[in-house]
Amino acid sequence: MKPLLLHNIGLLATPQGFAARCGSAQGEILKVKNAWLKTDDRGVITEIGQGDCPEVQPGEYYVLDADGRLVTPGLIDAHTHLIFGGWRQNEFGLKLHGATYLEILAAGGGILSTVRSTRAASAEELKEQASGALHEMITYGVTTCEAKSGYGLDRETELKQLRVIRELNREWPIELVPTYLGAHAVPEEFKEDRNAYIRLLTEVWLPEIAREGLAEFCDVFCEKGVFTAEESRRILEAGLANGLLPKIHADEIEAIGGTELTADLKAVSAEHLIVCQDSGIEAMAKGGTVACLLPMTSFYLGATYAPARKMIDAGVPVAVASDFNPGSCPGLNLQLAMTVACLKYRLTPEEILTAVTLNAAAAIRRADRLGSIEPGKQADLVIWKTDDLDYIPYRLGSNLAKVVIKKGEIIRVN
Ligand code: NIG
Ligand code: FE
């Protein structure tokens, strides 16, 4: 491919570095007015400069005029449940009449109802549904997306989900990062023998998934009525033994000790953290864990909001993601998540930019390659319909992405 020369950038705004940014560094954003950048022929950034467009040989570069607009790194959605069969609008009425998330789950609805429809769906049907979501994500400026399994809870369906992720990753320009979430719930057929389920998951399925190279991470829903902290530890240790790095859904509804595991396990990320205690924050700081916060889920569940400021003060890097799924967050607009994060977590526009780029890259172990605009990083970029960073979280719910670039190539123009 031709290298890219992007010039006439009104404002280039990016976090910097090849690892997560924490504490006050989370809000340190490089801002260059009237900038340009060049890539090589693999779509890797080679040079950034300020001022007039540099002279190049005719035909040497694909030359793109940013029209004086804001350019940031491509957005990274570090937590999604992308692959599922069917929606759950039937639960909406129940919610409005006061049923809680855990009550719906305990009655065989919630995750377990999506498990039934995901088992019934063909791989083609799952792909088609997920493709719709990917298309929408790209229009919002998302260039990389983590995707979890966890709506199969049996060997066949979990493999089906993970293979669909692999195929979509090959077919779509967005990069997908696969996570095995077999421990999303105990399936109905194992209700009376949860230990047998955990044994099967840890001793048979995890090794098979690892052998096929179908997942990079292992995740657990550590929650009251789902998996205990002790069970979560067992599952994540089995993941580690098979080369899958630990992530954990913790403190979403009740604090039962999940986040506290991150120190020992050196978990890559802990996610949700709505009711995270000080002990959990300390553990993440010790474990070098990224706190991946999901503000739209708090909004959708009518819950409180994770103590993001406390985390930043304690030196825990904060990432923000969508949690796109058919239950607790049937939305994937990461720009909207940025707005909610600023308003409810009190993050600054600079901190939220880091949260959806470099820290999100760290939450999926890709900060060496993604998440910032600097030489050596992949040219995943968004050209925005504004020249001002504050404008993105300020506007509520509109799509402000103008041009989306992946590996130096345009993948979407809005
Ligand atoms: O992250 N918390 C667990 N899993 C999802 C919800 C899944 C569902 O309700 O289908 C979440 O919120
Ligand atoms: Fe989730």
Side-chain angles (χ1 to χ4, degrees):
M1 67 177 257
K2 247 188 203 182
L4 171 73
L5 168 55
L6 178 63
H7 70 103
N8 195 16
I9 300 171
L11 180 68
L12 185 150
T14 180
Q16 284 182 287
F18 293 75
R21 306 284 286 185
C22 59
S24 58
Q26 170 140 9
E28 285 165 14
I29 292 291
L30 173 75
K31 292 182 181 172
V32 187
K33 283 193 176 154
N34 191 20
W36 52 263
L37 67 83
K38 282 180 180 173
T39 76
D40 64 16
D41 58 6
R42 293 168 306 131
V44 174
I45 298 166
T46 52
E47 220 184 323
I48 293 172
Q50 197 172 18
D52 292 342
C53 181
E55 300 226 349
V56 290
Q57 300 293 329
E60 191 186 353
Y61 282 87
Y62 177 72
V63 180
L64 184 62
D65 185 342
D67 257 333
R69 298 173 190 277
L70 169 70
V71 173
T72 70
L75 306 185
I76 297 176
D77 195 339
H79 179 140
T80 81
H81 302 256
L82 178 70
I83 312 295
F84 54 86
W87 296 92
R88 304 214 299 265
Q89 65 273 31
N90 59 309
E91 285 173 14
F92 198 66
L94 297 176
K95 267 170 61 109
L96 296 179
H97 284 97
T100 68
Y101 184 80
L102 291 182
E103 281 165 3
I104 294 173
L105 180 62
I111 294 173
L112 295 173
S113 113
T114 301
V115 167
R116 289 189 289 276
S117 46
T118 306
R119 287 179 180 179
S122 68
E124 268 319 303
E125 286 164 344
L126 293 180
K127 261 179 92 170
E128 199 180 311
Q129 161 136 349
S131 294
L134 289 180
H135 173 79
E136 202 181 330
M137 276 182 195
I138 292 171
T139 65
Y140 283 119
V142 175
T143 49
T144 303
C145 164
E146 186 256 15
K148 301 175 196 291
S149 68
Y151 288 121
L153 310 183
D154 61 14
R155 176 183 174 276
E156 204 190 11
T157 317
E158 291 287 318
L159 288 174
K160 179 170 72 181
Q161 284 191 281
L162 291 168
R163 287 177 184 143
V164 164
I165 295 170
R166 185 168 60 189
E167 282 180 31
L168 289 167
N169 185 46
R170 289 182 182 145
E171 292 166 17
W172 281 78
I174 189 169
E175 179 173 346
L176 296 181
V177 178
T179 296
Y180 175 52
L181 179 56
H184 198 190
V186 175
E188 274 157 331
E189 63 274 20
F190 282 92
K191 223 157 93 188
E192 305 308 324
D193 193 359
R194 51 190 300 115
N195 244 315
Y197 182 68
I198 296 172
R199 268 205 311 278
L200 208 51
L201 187 153
T202 52
E203 292 171 18
V204 184
W205 298 337
L206 252 174
E208 188 179 356
I209 284 161
R211 270 198 307 278
E212 227 191 285
L214 279 171
E216 288 180 38
F217 298 99
C218 180
D219 195 348
V220 178
F221 188 14
C222 180
E223 186 57 62
K224 188 176 164 213
V226 192
F227 291 96
T228 66
E230 233 2 88
E231 290 168 342
S232 302
R233 178 193 288 276
R234 259 176 77 192
I235 293 162
L236 294 176
E237 281 175 350
L240 271 169
N242 285 283
L244 270 60
L245 301 177
K247 283 178 167 288
I248 185 164
H249 276 68
D251 296 337
E252 178 175 356
I253 299 160
E254 294 207 14
I256 61 161
T259 313
E260 284 73 3
L261 299 174
T262 55
D264 276 4
L265 294 171
K266 305 246 170 298
V268 176
S269 63
E271 328 218 324
H272 284 290
L273 308 175
I274 293 175
V275 293
C276 184
Q277 314 286 297
D278 291 350
S279 50
I281 297 179
E282 268 167 43
M284 288 190 288
K286 267 199 203 127
T289 302
V290 177
C292 184
L293 307 184
L294 310 164
M296 296 201 296
T297 305
S298 280
F299 172 75
Y300 206 79
L301 293 177
T304 54
Y305 287 80
R309 285 252 63 96
K310 263 190 166 180
M311 292 172 186
I312 290 179
D313 290 346
V316 175
V318 167
V320 165
S322 72
D323 194 25
F324 175 58
N325 73 73
S328 60
C329 187
L332 47 70
N333 180 346
L334 200 52
Q335 296 176 40
L336 180 59
M338 292 169 76
T339 303
V340 182
C342 285
L343 293 172
K344 296 297 186 177
Y345 300 149
R346 297 274 157 201
L347 298 191
T348 64
E350 286 76 12
E351 286 169 332
I352 190 63
L353 181 64
T354 302
V356 293
T357 56
L358 187 55
N359 285 0
I364 49 168
R365 277 286 188 116
R366 275 160 172 71
D368 57 333
R369 182 160 65 76
L370 305 177
S372 64
I373 302 176
E374 57 196 304
K377 289 284 181 102
Q378 192 168 295
D380 292 2
L381 310 166
V382 180
I383 306 176
W384 297 90
K385 296 176 183 170
T386 175
D387 61 1
D388 181 7
L389 178 61
D390 291 1
Y391 189 76
I392 301 172
Y394 154 73
R395 288 289 307 278
L396 184 71
S398 292
N399 185 4
L400 304 169
K402 175 77 187 153
V403 181
V404 185
I405 294 171
K406 180 74 180 171
K407 277 193 199 167
E409 288 187 293
I410 295 175
I411 59 169
R412 172 83 197 173
V413 179
N414 291 323

